[in-house]
Amino acid sequence: MYVDDLVYALGETKTHVAESEAAGRLVSSAADLVSAGFEWHHRSAPGTTAYDLAKATAAQLTSGSLAAGVDAIVYSTCLPLNGSIGDAEAWQSSRDVGHLMDFPASRLQADFSLDRAVVVGLNQQGCTGMLGSMRLARALIATEPEWERVLCVTADRFPAGAVYEQAYNLISDGAAACVVSRAPAAFRLVTAHQITNGGLLGAIGDETVGAYFSYVRLLVDQTLRRSALSPADIAWVIPQNTNRSAWRILSRLIGIDYARVWQPSLPDVAHVISADNVINLAKLVGSGLLRPGQRVLLLVAGHGLNWQSVILEATEALA
């Protein structure tokens, strides 16, 4: 299987971390977040929904990869409230729960005339949903002989009044998409892996951070082992946009030089929930540093608690 067509969209309002501290949107101080590598984040304007962000990503593909259609859409959300674009007030007044089942994946299929596509909603993998979508897309194509392409989309925005910080990470509203296909494309999907520890679902921020290091190391070890690779075989690591100091430690734990950890978007877009891996991979492609044959390890942790990873190998189609 192959992955290509990396696109993303961000909330319209770009805000400096100091401004969000003054507005009461943070738990940590702006100085602490800046020391972790964060500077700016993006919030959606009033009236902009998570589905609007998803549409903005898909619109970037309409003249190209979506022209031939897709066989399925895997639509991932981190926050359950973004799994429906229905009107909560309408359901309260009518008592008809149909208002809560206005599913964004179906809307996307209809709005972009992807008539043959079936839809799958994925909403219990936290920030790992995009990598989970890739894994699920690969499995769907493998079991459906006539299927060729699956569109993976993730989109989330925080509700009005929310604190834009989770586990010491500055958050942005945003969306991302990619296409997983049977036909050769820019990246070959080498392997995908997931660990879930539901017993940690109620962990507070400090407990989540404490588990992060040990589980990321376990995730990397298991991912490399299932693909018969070693740390030396990985040219680049693309994690979620999280504290840079954490990755200076983690790079030593997993045996990969910190210089190969790629998160250039962190200061400008913060942690875009499930979209970070796609954003940073797109920036790696645009940098000109990536070469055919190089392997890229994408990994992310999310509530649930879930840890997911994907290894991609750049192909000649990248050029």
Side-chain angles (χ1 to χ4, degrees), residues 136-195:
L136 180 56
R138 181 181 69 160
L140 288 170
I141 294 173
T143 56
E144 297 286 347
E146 296 181 356
W147 285 17
E148 295 290 334
R149 297 153 55 76
V150 174
L151 172 64
C152 297
V153 180
T154 184
D156 280 293
R157 67 149 297 169
F158 275 13
V163 172
Y164 272 79
E165 182 181 345
Q166 283 286 303
Y168 306 108
N169 294 313
L170 182 66
I171 305 297
S172 282
D173 298 328
C178 67
V179 174
V180 177
S181 65
R182 193 184 300 274
F187 294 95
R188 183 173 69 88
L189 205 169
V190 177
T191 194
H193 186 48
Q194 176 178 354
I195 299 172

Side-chain angles (χ1 to χ4, degrees), residues 290-306:
L290 188 61
R291 298 288 181 267
Q294 289 187 331
R295 298 182 186 92
V296 183
L297 171 62
L298 313 179
L299 55 85
V300 61
H303 282 288
L305 282 172
N306 295 284

Side-chain angles (χ1 to χ4, degrees), residues 5 10 12 28 35 65-66 85 99 107 150 176 178 182 189 226 238 259 286-287:
D5 302 310
L10 301 169
E12 303 96 323
S28 304
S35 71
S65 62
L66 293 192
I85 56 177
H99 292 292
R107 286 290 187 101
V150 174
C178 67
R182 193 184 300 274
L189 205 169
R226 60 187 285 148
I238 299 182
S287 73

Side-chain angles (χ1 to χ4, degrees), residues 31-181:
D32 284 345
L33 289 170
V34 169
S35 71
F38 300 104
E39 294 183 34
W40 301 88
H41 67 135
H42 296 250
R43 296 177 297 114
S44 295
T48 297
T49 66
Y51 178 63
D52 292 326
L53 295 169
K55 283 180 66 178
T57 63
Q60 297 175 57
L61 300 173
T62 52
S63 61
S65 62
L66 293 192
V70 295
D71 299 290
I73 301 167
V74 181
Y75 191 111
S76 154
T77 53
C78 177
L79 303 178
L81 64 88
N82 291 322
S84 167
I85 56 177
D87 188 337
E89 292 182 0
W91 111 258
Q92 289 173 349
S93 62
S94 68
R95 298 185 299 157
D96 179 2
V97 297
H99 292 292
L100 305 180
M101 293 187 285
D102 191 347
F103 298 132
S106 298
R107 286 290 187 101
L108 196 73
Q109 188 249 27
D111 286 346
F112 289 92
S113 301
L114 301 172
D115 301 332
R116 74 170 187 267
V118 303
V119 299
V120 178
L122 192 62
N123 65 359
Q124 294 188 30
Q125 295 189 345
C127 297
T128 73
M130 171 51 86
L131 298 192
S133 297
M134 292 182 191
R135 188 182 193 203
L136 180 56
R138 181 181 69 160
L140 288 170
I141 294 173
T143 56
E144 297 286 347
E146 296 181 356
W147 285 17
E148 295 290 334
R149 297 153 55 76
V150 174
L151 172 64
C152 297
V153 180
T154 184
D156 280 293
R157 67 149 297 169
F158 275 13
V163 172
Y164 272 79
E165 182 181 345
Q166 283 286 303
Y168 306 108
N169 294 313
L170 182 66
I171 305 297
S172 282
D173 298 328
C178 67
V179 174
V180 177
S181 65

